[in-house]
């Protein structure tokens, strides 16, 4: 998407913290689930948590690093893929942005 609408950029900046908080909550829930497991050793838990944090840090970076208007279209595609850009959020975007994002599932 060559020319990302300014109104969409402003809206996404407004919901940035909400989406980051949602992702953080999801990650923390996954970590708590690993910690609550009784079928694996503490060392196995440590290893699973380490792997999970590495994977999820990549998701955080893909969604929220380099948050500029020139890169926001790609961020939107990843946010949508991760379920952070919800249908309710999508309704607030310009029709051309919504149409462009349809290709990402």
């Amino acid at each position: 998407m060559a020319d990302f609408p300014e109104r969409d950029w402003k809206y996404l900046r407004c919901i940035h913290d909400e989406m980051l908080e949602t992702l953080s909550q999801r990650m923390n829930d996954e970590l708590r689930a690993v910690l609550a497991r009784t079928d694996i050793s503490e060392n196995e838990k440590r290893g699973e948590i380490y792997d999970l944090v590495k994977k999820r840090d990549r998701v955080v970076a893909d969604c929220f690093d380099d948050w500029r208007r020139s890169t926001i279209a790609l961020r939107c595609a990843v946010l949508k893929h991760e379920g952070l850009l919800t249908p309710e959020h999508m309704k607030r975007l310009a029709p051309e942005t919504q149409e462009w994002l349809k290709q990402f599932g």
Side-chain angles (χ1 to χ4, degrees):
M1 185 167 202
D3 190 27
F4 199 83
E6 175 140 1
R7 77 173 207 169
D8 290 350
W9 165 240
K10 287 179 179 180
Y11 173 66
L12 290 166
R13 284 192 340 220
C14 287
I15 63 171
H16 174 279
D17 290 348
E18 171 192 332
M19 292 185 294
L20 181 56
E21 189 68 16
T22 299
L23 181 57
S24 296
Q25 179 68 49
R26 188 183 303 162
M27 292 169 56
N28 290 337
D29 289 346
E30 290 174 314
L31 293 171
R32 280 189 283 277
V34 172
L35 289 171
R37 290 183 61 187
T38 58
D39 62 321
I40 61 175
S41 71
E42 293 300 314
N43 188 52
E44 289 170 315
K45 289 178 188 180
R46 181 204 49 80
E48 285 195 27
I49 287 172
Y50 177 79
D51 291 342
L52 185 60
V53 168
K54 278 190 352 185
K55 285 183 210 170
R56 295 302 179 227
D57 275 352
R58 183 74 254 155
V59 172
V60 171
D62 290 346
C63 289
F64 297 104
D65 284 4
D66 199 25
W67 191 265
R68 295 178 289 141
R69 188 169 173 202
S70 62
T71 61
I72 198 63
L74 178 58
R75 301 291 162 255
C76 279
V78 178
L79 289 163
K80 184 172 185 242
H81 174 76
E82 292 296 326
L84 299 168
L85 191 61
T86 67
E88 293 76 31
H89 294 138
M90 293 279 293
K91 290 177 188 173
R92 302 273 314 263
L93 299 175
E96 61 268 22
T97 305
Q98 292 180 41
E99 191 62 35
W100 183 79
L101 284 169
K102 283 181 184 177
Q103 67 183 315
F104 300 103

